[in-house]
Amino acid sequence: MVATSAYGHAAITTHGQAAVLPWLNAAGADGVEIRRELLPAGFTDFIGLGRACADQGLAVVYSAPSGLWETDRLAATLDQCLDEAAALGAIAIKVCLGHYPGGSLADWPALRERLAAAPPLLVENDQTPEGGTLEPLAACLEDATAAGCPLGMTFDIGNWHWTDGDPMAAARRLGPFVRYLHCKGVVLDGVNLRASVPDDGELSAWRALLTHLPAGLTRAIEYPLQGQDLVAITTEQLARLRRL
C-alpha cells in the first residue's frame, strides 16, 4: 500500500487524494492509505472517495490522527472516525494511542460495543512520549486482549526513532498485536529527524525485524515519493518493499 502523504502535503492539497489513485493503480499497488488530515475542510463524501478507490482496485486503510484515549475516557472523535472509515469501505482504521488511562479506568465494554460493526481498529506508535513509547502501547494492547477487545496495532518502523525507542525490542514485545506495517527511512537533518527513502542498510534491518512480526503483513510506504515520473518511482519502491 501507499499512504497518500508520501506525495507531499502541497501536492495533495492542490490536487486532492483521489488524484493519486490512478498512479497507484498504474504502479501496481494493492491499496491506499487515505489520510484524514489531508482531506479538505468540511469534506463529507466518504462514500464517493471509497468508490473511487474501489474503481482503481485499491483496498483502503483510513488514517485518523486523533487519539483513542483522552486520559479517563474514549476520545470524543472516535465514533465519527469509525463512521467515516465504514463509509470509505476501509479494511482498517488507524489512530494514535492518545493518553491511555490504564487498568480499570479503561472502558473496554464501551470500546467493544463501538467496534462490533466497525472496521478493525489499529493503534499506531506515533512520535509522542505518551503514544510512541513501548510501555503504554504494550499495556493498552495487552489489556485489550485480556478484556476480549479486538484491538490491533500499526507498527511504524521509523517513528521509534523520534521517541528514542528500539524498533527491534518493540517488535519482539508487540509483534503478536501487529496487523499493519508503516515503512519509512529516517535521517538526521541537522538536529532534526525526517522521513526518507530507506537505504539498503535500513532494508536489511527491516528484514531482521520482520522475523518478529506476523507473516504476510500489509505494508505501506510512508516515505517521500518525489520526482518527475511518480508512477515509475512508486513502482520501483513497491518492488523494494515486496522483496523484504
Side-chain angles (χ1 to χ4, degrees):
M1 305 188 83
V2 179
T4 57
S5 57
Y7 296 106
H9 286 209
I12 298 301
T13 300
T14 300
H15 302 292
Q17 294 184 78
V20 311
L21 303 179
W23 307 345
L24 301 186
N25 177 301
D30 299 306
V32 58
E33 183 176 303
I34 296 293
R35 308 287 288 225
R36 192 173 195 260
E37 72 272 18
L38 295 181
L39 293 169
F43 182 86
T44 59
D45 190 15
F46 290 92
I47 292 175
L49 180 55
R51 188 178 298 118
C53 295
D55 287 346
Q56 295 292 336
L58 299 169
V60 178
V61 169
Y62 187 43
S63 172
S66 52
L68 175 59
W69 302 99
E70 293 175 352
T71 307
D72 61 346
R73 63 179 64 87
L74 291 167
T77 56
L78 179 61
D79 286 338
Q80 180 180 352
C81 291
L82 291 174
D83 287 345
E84 291 167 356
L88 279 170
I91 61 171
I93 172 174
K94 77 173 188 67
V95 297
C96 303
L97 181 64
H99 295 267
Y100 177 56
S104 61
L105 296 176
D107 192 349
W108 294 112
L111 185 56
R112 281 199 305 269
E113 181 180 352
R114 283 167 167 80
L115 298 183
L121 179 64
L122 311 174
V123 292
E124 178 185 26
N125 58 298
D126 62 14
Q127 299 174 8
T128 67
E130 63 273 10
T133 51
L134 182 56
E135 289 308 320
L137 284 159
C140 178
L141 291 161
E142 290 163 0
D143 290 350
T145 298
C149 188
L151 186 65
M153 182 183 178
T154 297
F155 190 99
D156 188 302
I157 296 174
N159 279 353
W160 297 108
H161 297 283
W162 270 265
T163 59
D164 295 322
D166 179 348
M168 185 66 75
R172 292 191 187 102
R173 177 83 177 271
L174 301 173
F177 307 107
V178 176
R179 303 292 178 266
Y180 182 47
L181 189 69
H182 253 200
C183 300
K184 63 170 172 268
V186 178
V187 296
L188 186 63
D189 188 1
V191 297
N192 298 312
L193 296 171
R194 63 174 175 84
S196 65
V197 177
D199 59 27
D200 290 342
E202 286 173 304
L203 290 177
S204 178
W206 294 0
R207 290 187 187 96
L209 184 148
L210 282 170
T211 64
H212 300 285
L213 302 181
L217 273 180
T218 298
R219 309 165 186 180
I221 291 173
E222 205 210 12
Y223 52 81
L225 298 176
Q226 304 292 321
Q228 292 299 313
D229 190 340
L230 290 173
V231 170
I233 291 166
T234 303
T235 300
E236 177 188 5
Q237 294 303 320
L238 286 168
R240 294 180 81 210
L241 217 56
R242 288 189 170 108
R243 288 195 295 269
L244 280 178

